[in-house]
Amino acid sequence: DIQLTQSPSFLSASVGDRVTITCRASQGISSSLAWFQQKPGKAPRVLIYASSILQSGVPSRFSGSVSGTDFTLTISSLQPEDFATYSCQQFTGHPLSITFGQGTRLEIK
Amino acid sequence: QLQLQESGPGLVKPSETLSLTCSVSGGSINSGTYYWGWIRQPPGEGLEWIGNIFYSGATFYNPSLKSRVTMSVDTSKNQFSLNVKSLTAADTAVYYCARDFGYDDTGHRGTFDVWGHGILVTVSS
């Protein structure tokens, strides 16, 4: 089974900061990785899919990239509404299998 | 606008079977391009994929839950369902249903883009 390891698990930052969250896959997973944002008591919201494609309606300060088995979510300038938990998620096909990372909690400094 | 709504019991006894339904409104579950999925989240923990189902009834399950999980779809009611048997306290979680939009117009693999609000299921005697 493919494992996704996110780092850091916890991140403290200030409004206006640039932050980066990494998701490392235990083996190659092509580009089928997505990033979600989740606020307390709410369902997750997709931000990025296929490693770097911005979901419709998501602000452009969010971006995704990949290098080998390391996937990165970057928020270019933190806004107050961005403080939340971020999770990565991967697909493998044939048969379909889906895995989530353990989450990164982003809190205001 | 597509909306999903989970329904089912909030409290289930250990060893019993959990049955949840996801009602889809604002769109048809019969679309040939979407999967429909269940994801759960234990209190204070991360997300765990349970399984996906296609409108045709084809199912794909998390290998760690496969022996206890059954999903089905009722296109006449625009609903899909989840059964989890032999429950233990470890199955206590918020259960979400969601649409997996499959592939976008450029052939890229998409993900869960529409979610229900979630339903908290507690397994306790």
Side-chain angles (χ1 to χ4, degrees):
Chain A
D1 290 353
I2 294 175
Q3 308 296 322
L4 296 177
T5 303
Q6 287 184 234
S7 60
S9 296
F10 177 83
L11 181 58
S12 181
S14 301
V15 172
D17 284 354
R18 177 184 179 91
V19 300
T20 297
I21 299 169
T22 297
C23 181
R24 174 167 291 176
S26 59
Q27 57 186 277
I29 58 172
S30 71
S31 62
S32 298
L33 186 123
W35 289 97
F36 290 86
Q37 176 193 68
Q38 188 176 22
K39 296 182 179 179
K42 300 294 186 181
R45 168 198 180 199
V46 59
L47 302 173
I48 301 279
Y49 69 94
S51 303
S52 61
I53 299 177
L54 199 65
Q55 177 73 5
S56 176
V58 174
S60 60
R61 62 181 180 273
F62 293 94
S63 63
S65 63
V66 56
S67 176
T69 57
D70 287 350
F71 297 81
T72 300
L73 172 70
T74 299
I75 309 172
S76 60
S77 179
L78 275 175
Q79 299 301 301
E81 61 268 28
D82 298 338
F83 293 94
T85 296
Y86 292 85
S87 300
C88 57
Q89 174 243 316
Q90 68 83 27
F91 290 89
T92 53
H94 314 297
L96 175 66
S97 180
I98 296 171
T99 307
F100 288 89
Q102 83 277 14
T104 294
R105 185 178 170 191
L106 174 57
E107 291 200 342
I108 190 165
K109 184 181 290 183
Chain B
Q1 182 181 357
L2 188 76
Q3 293 185 320
L4 282 65
Q5 178 68 57
E6 305 89 351
S7 59
L11 179 64
V12 190
K13 290 181 169 54
S15 80
E16 292 189 343
T17 296
L18 170 66
S19 295
L20 296 176
T21 296
C22 183
S23 298
V24 179
S25 59
S28 174
I29 203 168
N30 262 333
S31 170
T33 59
Y34 303 130
Y35 298 90
W36 304 92
W38 289 97
I39 302 100
R40 70 181 184 179
Q41 185 170 38
E45 297 186 23
L47 298 160
E48 180 180 35
W49 174 67
I50 301 172
N52 275 18
I53 189 166
F54 203 50
Y55 78 99
S56 63
T59 53
F60 310 87
Y61 298 135
N62 184 327
S64 69
L65 297 170
K66 186 175 184 177
S67 64
R68 300 194 294 125
V69 167
T70 304
M71 295 177 62
S72 60
V73 61
D74 187 337
T75 55
S76 67
K77 294 182 178 179
N78 225 31
Q79 295 176 339
F80 61 104
S81 299
L82 170 70
N83 281 1
V84 184
K85 67 181 183 182
S86 305
L87 293 170
T88 70
D91 294 307
T92 293
V94 175
Y95 286 73
Y96 294 99
C97 61
R99 182 182 77 172
D100 170 1
F101 73 85
Y103 291 86
D104 69 7
D105 293 343
T106 59
H108 291 98
R109 185 60 169 93
T111 186
F112 300 105
D113 64 332
V114 182
W115 294 64
H117 293 296
I119 182 170
L120 175 62
V121 176
T122 301
V123 180
S124 175
S125 56

